[in-house]
Amino acid sequence: MKSSRKKQKNKSKKASGIQELELEELKAIIQKSGKSALAESERNKLDAAMNTLAFITQELQAKDASILRLRKFIFGSATEKTKNVFPKEPAKATDGELAEIKANDGSSDTTLATKDETKKIAKGHGRNSVETYRQAEKIKVSHRTLKAKDDCPDCDKGKLYRQSKPAVLVRIVGVAPLSAKVYELERFRCNLCGKILTAETPAGIGSTKYDESASTMIALLKYGCGLPFHRLNRLQKDLGIPLPASTQWEIVEKAADLITPAHKELIRQAAQGEVIHNDDTVMKILNLASTLALEDSKGRQGIYSSGIVSIAEGRRIAVFFTGNQHAGENLEDLLKQRQEDLPLPIQMCDALSHNTKGEFETIVANCIAHARRKFVDIKVAFPDETLHVLEVFKEVYHNDAFARENNLTAEERLNFHQEKSEPAMAGLAVWMAKKIDERLVEPNSILGEAIRYVQKHWSKLTLFLREAGAPLDNNICDRALKKAILHRKNALFYKTKNGARVGDLFMSLIHTVEL
């Protein structure tokens, strides 16, 4: 193991032109360079020293970026806004301000809060308003002693008039996710013929043990909130209403068969979208994984959950597909149901080839957020360059928010971006070209790789400047895939392809309703 690592290390050094030199020997060569011409062997050693310095610098930069990505992976990142990536430091106090502070309160602090810190927007109290309790039971309570047009009990002169808005109190009680009622039907038995006579079932309670609302609640908890069957089983058992995991599966599987036509209609309507987002994430299906493992080792063995969000006339539809097909192949199957007379849809995705793999035609746009993140990841090594790029993207997103808030049409939004955002993006293109062409950035460095990524996909990243309705990023699809990721995080896997089918169906319906 150690020998292989040593060989790999030596190979890396050789590829980078690195040589092991004595420090004293290097100092002697540098001193000699100012007095006389260097021999060829001495020049080679000096070149090797410079290559070594460049290699070490590049490795340190990559290490800082890798540590930053690892920290994000473990602890997560709440947001990548510019103000959070580059937080502003408190402004330094001037001599006059410092003297005034000392005179007023005797403090010796040398900093003052910035204007942004002193004028923070007051945050909400965190409570939900009464309007958010849409499904709460509303009970009207009349005053026990007063009614409209009575004399005022305080002044004895005025008349009372009913207020249009009543005072409200909210009281929340804890109940099991699935409650149960036990109906005890009275029975009589004839002492002569032995016949049993039972009371009639109350009207409206149905003929099945599990109501339709039970299947809805189980599916919502499992595929909408990521609560595995065994955890719900434990909760229900502790609350005195047992519901085994196997029973839960039987309930949702039966419900899935009933609402499959609705899922098919969602797919048909999604195929007609004007803008279609797609992406995928890895998933595990136990039975399918074992089947793929027995096949040819050169065949595809990966399993994925693809998310597709289609937007048509302002309506958003989310559909999910889980199996061994990539996002592009699932999009190909979906677009087979597209009407032939419709124009080509705009497809928003990241630059991975899996997202466009398949026999279909779309106008492809790439996600700016993915390009932006490549610079966020290297901000420790290249803070000035990263800040410059983030400020450009910040301006573009600000313009897009303005267009959205003012309800601009697709054509108006395009014209607005061409007027406001195109100069900023053109300036970014010139800045990147200068960095690469004039060798101001090492092409193989992490900054060079980030710049080359943007340059390579520039046309698709800037489609919003040429095509009406083209979005900036694929964030809406990334958020949709969190449904599948939440299931993977909590339940770990699907057992069968049928289980994945049921999960896709309910996730599609649940997330479409949320959208």
Side-chain angles (χ1 to χ4, degrees):
M1 187 71 175
K2 289 183 179 180
S3 60
S4 62
R5 289 180 181 175
K6 188 174 181 180
K7 289 180 181 178
Q8 183 66 26
K9 186 176 181 181
N10 293 335
K11 184 178 179 182
S12 177
K13 285 183 177 181
K14 186 175 180 180
S16 305
I18 297 175
Q19 295 183 16
E20 294 185 1
L21 301 173
E22 294 292 337
L23 183 59
E24 294 300 327
E25 183 182 3
L26 183 60
K27 287 181 179 179
I29 293 174
I30 294 174
Q31 290 177 355
K32 183 179 178 182
S33 64
K35 299 177 182 179
S36 61
L38 298 178
E40 184 177 356
S41 61
E42 293 173 331
R43 282 198 304 271
N44 291 338
K45 290 181 179 180
L46 194 58
D47 288 340
M50 296 303 297
N51 290 336
T52 303
L53 178 61
F55 175 78
I56 292 174
T57 303
Q58 181 178 339
E59 288 297 308
L60 288 174
Q61 292 171 350
K63 182 179 180 181
D64 287 340
S66 299
I67 291 174
L68 181 62
R69 285 194 291 267
L70 180 61
R71 189 184 300 123
K72 277 187 183 180
F73 177 77
I74 296 175
F75 301 106
S77 177
T79 176
E80 292 180 354
K81 290 185 177 179
T82 304
K83 65 180 181 181
N84 293 323
V85 177
F86 291 96
K88 294 181 179 179
E89 296 182 358
K92 292 290 184 179
T94 63
D95 293 339
E97 291 171 335
L98 185 59
E100 184 179 351
I101 293 172
K102 290 181 178 180
N104 291 335
D105 58 10
S107 172
S108 59
D109 192 1
T110 59
T111 60
L112 286 177
T114 62
K115 187 178 293 184
D116 291 338
E117 291 175 335
T118 56
K119 293 185 178 180
K120 285 184 177 179
I121 299 174
K123 293 184 178 180
H125 45 55
R127 299 169 186 162
N128 292 315
S129 64
V130 68
E131 288 78 12
T132 59
Y133 295 93
R134 293 177 292 118
Q135 297 299 322
E137 180 184 3
K138 292 180 172 60
I139 302 173
K140 293 184 178 181
V141 181
S142 300
H143 202 286
R144 287 183 294 179
T145 60
L146 300 176
K147 60 182 183 296
K149 297 185 179 181
D150 281 356
D151 294 333
C152 177
D154 287 347
C155 66
D156 294 328
K157 295 179 181 179
K159 296 289 185 181
L160 300 178
Y161 291 90
R162 183 176 288 106
Q163 296 289 95
S164 59
K165 292 186 177 180
V168 294
L169 294 173
V170 178
R171 296 292 181 264
I172 299 176
V173 298
V175 295
L178 287 96
S179 59
K181 293 181 180 179
V182 178
Y183 294 88
E184 297 181 345
L185 305 180
E186 188 177 20
R187 297 192 300 175
F188 297 94
R189 180 178 180 277
C190 175
N191 65 347
L192 182 61
C193 66
K195 185 176 182 180
I196 302 294
L197 304 174
T198 306
E200 294 183 359
T201 303
I205 66 170
S207 58
T208 59
K209 180 177 180 179
Y210 298 101
D211 187 70
E212 290 84 354
S213 60
S215 59
T216 303
M217 179 58 68
I218 296 171
L220 184 60
L221 291 172
K222 167 69 172 175
Y223 302 109
C225 302
L227 184 67
F229 289 144
H230 69 89
R231 293 187 191 173
L232 181 57
N233 172 32
R234 187 185 309 164
L235 175 62
Q236 289 292 133
K237 184 178 180 181
D238 291 343
L239 295 176
I241 307 173
L243 190 64
S246 58
T247 302
Q248 295 176 48
W249 164 245
E250 292 172 358
I251 293 172
V252 296
E253 184 184 27
K254 182 178 179 181
D257 293 336
L258 294 174
I259 60 178
T260 295
H263 185 229
K264 292 181 178 179
E265 177 61 16
L266 277 184
I267 295 174
R268 189 195 68 80
Q269 291 191 24
Q272 321 309 320
E274 301 155 1
V275 179
I276 300 178
H277 300 251
N278 73 318
D279 202 355
D280 56 21
T281 185
V282 294
M283 188 54 67
K284 183 179 289 186
I285 304 176
L286 294 185
N287 290 3
L288 180 59
S290 60
T291 302
L292 293 174
L294 295 175
E295 295 178 355
D296 184 2
S297 58
K298 296 182 180 180
R300 183 185 303 172
Q301 297 185 15
I303 301 173
Y304 312 90
S305 274
S306 300
I308 297 176
V309 178
S310 176
I311 303 175
E313 299 179 354
R315 293 180 293 108
R316 295 175 291 182
I317 297 174
V319 288
F320 294 84
F321 303 92
T322 300
N324 64 333
Q325 290 195 148
H326 290 299
E329 295 165 324
N330 288 317
L331 180 59
E332 177 186 356
D333 293 340
L334 180 137
L335 289 177
K336 289 178 181 178
Q337 302 190 41
R338 186 177 180 85
Q339 298 177 13
E340 295 182 356
D341 57 339
L342 291 177
L344 292 179
I346 296 173
Q347 179 189 357
M348 167 52 74
C349 58
D350 58 43
L352 286 176
S353 60
H354 292 166
N355 295 323
T356 54
K357 184 178 181 180
E359 297 180 1
F360 59 89
E361 289 187 65
T362 56
I363 304 173
V364 181
N366 281 162
C367 175
I368 284 183
H370 281 74
R372 183 182 181 276
R373 191 169 298 121
K374 290 187 177 295
F375 290 92
V376 173
D377 289 343
I378 63 173
K379 67 112 174 180
V380 175
F382 298 96
D384 295 336
E385 291 84 353
T386 298
L387 180 60
H388 175 75
V389 175
L390 296 192
E391 289 294 341
V392 174
F393 287 140
K394 180 181 178 181
E395 183 178 349
V396 173
Y397 272 98
H398 175 76
N399 294 334
D400 200 63
F402 178 86
R404 187 169 55 253
E405 291 167 1
N406 289 273
N407 298 319
L408 300 186
T409 65
E411 290 295 337
E412 291 172 340
R413 172 180 174 271
L414 174 61
N415 295 333
F416 183 75
H417 271 303
Q418 288 176 339
E419 178 185 355
K420 300 293 184 180
S421 302
E422 192 165 13
M425 294 298 288
L428 178 62
V430 172
W431 178 84
M432 292 189 299
K434 182 178 180 181
K435 291 286 186 183
I436 297 296
D437 296 343
E438 298 183 9
R439 305 289 293 183
L440 301 177
V441 173
E442 174 61 38
N444 293 327
S445 68
I446 52 179
L447 176 59
E449 291 176 357
I451 291 176
R452 284 188 292 134
Y453 174 88
V454 176
Q455 288 180 324
K456 180 180 179 181
H457 305 289
W458 182 258
S459 177
K460 296 175 182 177
L461 288 169
T462 57
L463 185 68
F464 70 97
L465 298 175
R466 303 184 304 277
E467 193 74 30
L472 296 184
D473 53 48
N474 201 30
N475 290 348
I476 188 173
C477 189
D478 292 341
R479 289 192 293 268
L481 279 175
K482 287 183 178 179
K483 290 288 183 190
I485 294 171
L486 183 64
H487 178 273
R488 184 184 68 203
K489 178 181 177 182
N490 289 294
L492 303 181
F493 53 81
Y494 292 110
K495 185 176 181 180
T496 64
K497 289 186 67 175
N498 184 46
R501 176 190 69 86
V502 173
D504 291 339
L505 188 153
F506 279 110
M507 286 184 191
S508 300
L509 293 177
I510 291 170
H511 198 60
T512 298
V513 172
E514 290 178 349
L515 289 173

